[in-house]
Amino acid sequence: MPGGRLTQQERRQIALGLADGLPYAEIARRLERPTSTVTREVTRNGGPLAYRADLAHRATEHRAQRRRPTAPGGPQPGPQPHGRDSEAVAAYEEQLTTVLMASGLNRMAARVITCLSTTDAGSLTAAELARRLQVSPASISKAIAFLESQSLVRRERDERRRDRYIVDDELYYQSVIASARANDRVVEAARQGVTVLGPGTPAAVRLENIARFLDFISESIVRAADQAREVLHTTPATTPEDDSRE
């Protein structure tokens, strides 16, 4: 049933689709489910290579049994600023987290980035992150340590001497440049292989072509990133349609 929990049969269909090498979008189409549902299901249960339908189904049932209903007097999400729809924001945060996980982040790191990115201030303390995500401070500390090592967040002290974690305006610029630099290391290694294998040999020609291709891609990426960098520091102009919504 679209919108409801996945059934065991649907999970078996997902497993069959993965075994056949089908993309998530095609598996979702056959199930009449959103692609994000299939992506989230596979990511949560070992990834495309380790996904097992029966294990995934049991794990989901176990998680459901462990969930405790929220007490009537328990903490409830506060109202969203700017008149935002709380349910729509929550759905979007789950979607963005899934996309970030598909790009290589683990779930907690992806949740932290999502939380920081969807906060107007763009910064939160560890205590605020733990409270918003309803996880332990240790989980936040571990995720932050990883994100800092990847230059995906930066740390600042506020006026109360608390560490605040910030999604920098140049996050994606830095990420793109880091990707280009990673390509540069592959280029260097490929050209070393040309020398070892002997210029002009089939293997060396293959490596040289790889090096030339990645070298061109890296230069293009860095040039484009430098040209577009100022976009990260501008405020998009509002359109008449945007104005009419206010």
Side-chain angles (χ1 to χ4, degrees):
M1 180 186 300
R5 290 183 179 176
L6 288 168
T7 65
Q8 190 166 19
Q9 181 58 36
E10 285 178 316
R11 290 190 165 93
R12 288 172 178 165
Q13 288 179 260
I14 290 174
L16 291 173
L18 293 172
D20 290 340
L22 297 179
Y24 292 159
E26 176 59 22
I27 297 173
R29 187 188 66 78
R30 295 185 180 189
L31 294 176
E32 297 184 352
R33 292 276 192 170
T35 302
S36 60
T37 297
V38 175
T39 302
R40 186 164 57 248
E41 166 69 13
V42 175
T43 303
R44 282 178 173 175
N45 294 285
L49 298 180
Y51 183 82
R52 298 293 182 272
D54 292 343
L55 290 177
H57 194 70
R58 286 199 294 271
T60 301
E61 290 184 334
H62 181 65
R63 286 194 296 267
Q65 290 172 359
R66 291 180 58 186
R67 292 192 187 106
R68 297 177 180 177
T70 303
Q76 298 294 325
Q80 287 286 329
H82 308 294
R84 293 168 182 153
D85 184 318
S86 296
E87 291 187 3
V89 170
Y92 171 71
E93 288 174 343
E94 182 65 25
Q95 178 188 354
L96 180 56
T97 297
T98 300
V99 170
L100 292 172
M101 290 170 64
S103 74
L105 293 180
N106 63 53
R107 180 164 177 79
M108 184 51 63
R111 292 186 71 198
V112 169
I113 285 288
T114 293
C115 192
L116 291 172
S117 298
T118 55
T119 302
D120 285 320
S123 71
L124 293 167
T125 65
E128 289 168 338
L129 282 166
R131 185 166 59 251
R132 284 171 177 259
L133 298 178
Q134 297 184 348
V135 297
S136 69
S139 296
I140 296 298
S141 178
K142 185 176 180 180
I144 287 293
F146 170 76
L147 292 170
E148 284 187 305
S149 74
Q150 302 298 309
S151 299
L152 293 176
V153 298
R154 63 184 174 86
R155 183 194 307 239
E156 283 187 0
R157 284 286 180 94
D158 63 16
E159 65 280 358
R160 296 170 60 184
R161 300 187 62 78
R162 298 176 304 178
D163 284 337
R164 298 193 71 84
Y165 302 102
I166 300 169
V167 173
D168 196 283
D169 288 342
E170 296 211 334
L171 166 67
Y172 287 98
Y173 172 80
Q174 294 167 1
S175 177
V176 166
I177 295 300
S179 175
R181 295 294 171 254
N183 276 349
D184 289 345
R185 290 191 288 272
V186 177
V187 169
E188 181 181 353
R191 288 195 165 132
Q192 288 174 352
V194 171
T195 301
V196 172
L197 298 172
T201 63
V205 169
R206 184 182 307 114
L207 286 172
E208 177 59 28
N209 287 341
I210 291 171
R212 289 169 55 220
F213 172 78
L214 291 178
D215 204 13
F216 178 83
I217 292 296
S218 291
E219 289 182 4
S220 301
I221 287 173
V222 171
R223 188 183 311 113
D226 286 338
Q227 291 172 348
R229 192 175 187 178
E230 64 183 46
V231 171
L232 295 168
H233 305 283
T234 59
T235 301
T238 58
T239 64
E241 182 181 356
D242 294 330
D243 293 337
S244 67
R245 294 174 184 169
E246 296 181 355

